Amino acid sequence: MMTIKDWIYLGITVASYLLAIIAGVYAKDKAKINHATRAGQALDVVGKLASYAVHEAEHIGGTGQEKREFASEIITQGLAWLGIKNVAPNTVNGAIEKTVNAMNIANQAVKPVEPEIAENVPEKDIVQPEAPTPEAPTKDVTVNGN
């Protein structure tokens, strides 16, 4: 027959195993989350470098292929300087394309809408200020409406 003391020890043992299992699952998931977070941060860095590189390449000029190669080189050097390794060339090229597309959309000329001006407005349609009448003299307005 089990005493209260035995039940307490059994409860502590079961709780310890459950805690160990929960901690193991958490540690495994946390490693996945950290890996995904690091990958996301690396992609953010690639995107920022691409933005700088594409704008600099556009400023320097050259053919489209020369600008692309220049931007790719800047991104690769920036990643190396930051210690980010194993970034696929397709990721770099994708970041360059995304930045170029965003820059092209931002640089599209938006035509301002010019107001239509009527050339021959009939005299009766022109609004004139009302002249003061002797019955209602004009009122002088001073500071604060006094």
Side-chain angles (χ1 to χ4, degrees), residues 31-52:
K32 286 181 184 177
I33 291 169
N34 285 344
H35 180 70
T37 302
R38 281 194 306 272
Q41 290 170 343
L43 288 176
D44 286 345
V45 170
V46 171
K48 288 177 184 173
L49 286 172
S51 178
Y52 300 137

Side-chain angles (χ1 to χ4, degrees), residues 64-80:
Q65 185 60 32
E66 289 172 343
K67 290 186 225 179
R68 181 179 308 282
E69 289 171 3
F70 179 74
S72 180
E73 184 63 29
I74 289 175
I75 295 168
T76 305
Q77 288 177 2
L79 291 172

Side-chain angles (χ1 to χ4, degrees), residues 4-146:
I4 264 301
K5 199 178 207 183
D6 294 333
W7 283 106
I8 290 173
Y9 288 143
L10 180 63
I12 290 172
T13 304
V14 169
S16 297
Y17 281 118
L18 286 175
L19 187 61
I21 291 170
I22 291 170
V25 169
Y26 173 76
K28 181 179 148 195
D29 288 346
K30 183 151 175 48
K32 286 181 184 177
I33 291 169
N34 285 344
H35 180 70
T37 302
R38 281 194 306 272
Q41 290 170 343
L43 288 176
D44 286 345
V45 170
V46 171
K48 288 177 184 173
L49 286 172
S51 178
Y52 300 137
V54 167
H55 283 87
E56 188 62 26
E58 187 66 27
H59 176 70
I60 288 176
T63 66
Q65 185 60 32
E66 289 172 343
K67 290 186 225 179
R68 181 179 308 282
E69 289 171 3
F70 179 74
S72 180
E73 184 63 29
I74 289 175
I75 295 168
T76 305
Q77 288 177 2
L79 291 172
W81 186 76
L82 292 170
I84 299 173
K85 300 175 183 172
N86 301 325
V87 176
N90 287 342
T91 304
V92 173
N93 290 336
I96 291 171
E97 282 298 318
K98 181 179 178 184
T99 304
V100 168
N101 288 337
M103 191 170 72
N104 287 339
I105 289 171
N107 289 339
Q108 283 180 348
V110 178
K111 294 180 182 176
V113 178
E114 294 188 25
E116 293 182 22
I117 299 175
E119 304 216 359
N120 297 321
V121 178
E123 196 69 33
K124 64 180 179 63
D125 290 341
I126 298 176
V127 177
Q128 297 291 331
E130 291 185 21
T133 60
E135 299 87 32
T138 57
K139 199 171 154 183
D140 288 331
V141 179
T142 58
V143 178
N144 296 331
N146 295 328

